[in-house]
Amino acid sequence: MKIKKKKHPFAALFMAAAIIAAVPLGINSSLSELREEASDSYYYDQGGYAIYEGLEKRRAAASDLVTLAKRYTDKEPSLEALADDLEYQVRCAERAVFDGEETGFADTVRANQALDSSAQALADALEQVGLAEKDKKYPGQLIAQMKSEQDKIQRSSYNDNAREYNAKLERFQPIAFQKALATFDKAVTEEEEAAVAEDTRIPVPPAAQEAPDAPDYDVVMEQVEDFTRDITDRANEFAGDITGWAEDLSGDIAGRVTR
């Protein structure tokens, strides 16, 4: 006796929906692993270099520059404001390290870069002061240490790993929910170099970007319609494939049960 296969459209549609829902979960799981791998190279990269240690050395050199300047504030009062500015930037850099990975190191990068302009300004001012013979070498030496360590940070393989991860993250927008990773070798913008406000000691906020021209409404609607049509066609095609597969599977199971 031949058993007629029963169609189970609801089961097929449910299975199709489950598979579709699983796609973004799988993508984000893979991206999470890639992000973790890239973040690990911040602590120790392929060459064994640790960016976080380089950042600490830069902060230490900046702090030494502050200590040196404060020994000469009685002789040159103008050094006090510059020293306070750099000391503030050092504290900001220290705080930015603690939650760096969670935020994608964006704050860490910004705070680290802010050290350079403040340190250079203080070093230049110290060069104009009559330093004791034993101290004359320190301004240039400490700036050289900061630059040397920054060069190592910029050449770290972490930056390449972060860019590779960011490129994959961009490909899966908007269903990717992971955060991008900042790199330590990008050019410093004017906003990131902005010194703290003179009176409030609060970092100057970046200037507002000029608003782009509004897109043509008809063009946008046409693009939306094309996108919607394309997604609908693909969904129907996918659902048809899944439905056929589910019907064959259910029929096969029903046939085995009745044997």
Side-chain angles (χ1 to χ4, degrees):
M1 178 178 176
K2 187 176 181 181
I3 299 176
K4 186 178 179 180
K5 293 181 180 180
K6 283 188 176 182
K7 294 186 178 181
H8 302 277
F10 291 107
L13 290 175
F14 176 79
M15 187 173 294
I19 293 175
I20 293 174
V23 171
L25 293 177
I27 289 174
N28 280 280
S29 176
S30 298
L31 287 173
S32 179
E33 293 179 3
L34 290 174
R35 189 181 192 277
E36 184 175 356
E37 291 175 4
S39 297
D40 285 346
S41 61
Y42 164 84
Y43 299 99
Y44 288 103
D45 66 9
Q46 293 176 357
Y49 179 74
I51 286 182
Y52 80 93
E53 290 182 350
L55 297 175
E56 184 177 350
K57 291 178 181 178
R58 277 172 52 81
R59 294 195 303 273
S63 293
D64 289 344
L65 196 59
V66 171
T67 300
L68 175 64
K70 288 190 173 182
R71 295 209 299 261
Y72 290 90
T73 53
D74 290 341
K75 182 178 181 180
E76 183 55 62
S78 63
L79 290 174
E80 186 171 0
L82 294 172
D84 288 345
D85 179 26
L86 180 55
E87 189 173 32
Y88 172 82
Q89 298 297 349
V90 170
R91 290 199 302 269
C92 288
E94 289 175 344
R95 289 196 298 268
V97 169
F98 292 107
D99 60 346
E101 184 174 346
E102 183 179 350
T103 60
F105 301 111
D107 292 340
T108 310
V109 170
R110 188 187 189 104
N112 175 59
Q113 292 176 339
L115 289 174
D116 290 323
S117 58
S118 296
Q120 189 64 61
L122 182 56
D124 290 343
L126 283 168
E127 295 286 357
Q128 305 302 317
V129 176
L131 298 178
E133 193 63 33
K134 63 183 179 65
D135 291 335
K136 287 183 178 180
K137 63 181 179 181
Y138 289 123
Q141 189 178 83
L142 291 170
I143 290 296
Q145 289 177 8
M146 292 181 67
K147 289 182 177 179
S148 175
E149 209 60 45
Q150 181 63 23
D151 181 64
K152 296 176 185 178
I153 291 172
Q154 289 178 308
R155 290 187 285 108
S156 171
S157 60
Y158 160 82
N159 298 299
D160 294 329
N161 295 339
R163 273 190 291 272
E164 183 180 353
Y165 160 77
N166 290 339
K168 293 180 179 178
L169 181 67
E170 183 67 24
R171 285 172 51 195
F172 291 106
Q173 295 296 341
I175 61 173
F177 306 126
Q178 302 299 318
K179 292 181 179 179
L181 291 173
T183 60
F184 289 83
D185 57 354
K186 69 184 183 68
V188 182
T189 65
E190 291 183 1
E191 289 81 4
E192 289 168 330
E193 280 187 330
V196 295
E198 183 175 353
D199 296 328
T200 62
R201 290 284 186 259
I202 298 175
V204 177
Q209 297 182 351
E210 184 178 351
D213 295 335
D216 184 84
Y217 176 80
D218 292 335
V219 173
V220 172
M221 290 305 299
E222 184 178 351
Q223 292 175 344
V224 170
E225 290 175 359
D226 290 342
F227 178 77
T228 303
R229 191 181 305 109
D230 181 59
I231 291 297
T232 301
D233 292 342
R234 293 187 183 186
N236 290 336
E237 181 179 355
F238 183 69
D241 293 340
I242 292 297
T243 300
W245 175 80
E247 288 177 351
D248 292 341
L249 178 63
S250 61
D252 181 61
I253 292 174
R256 294 185 182 185
V257 170
T258 56
R259 287 176 184 172

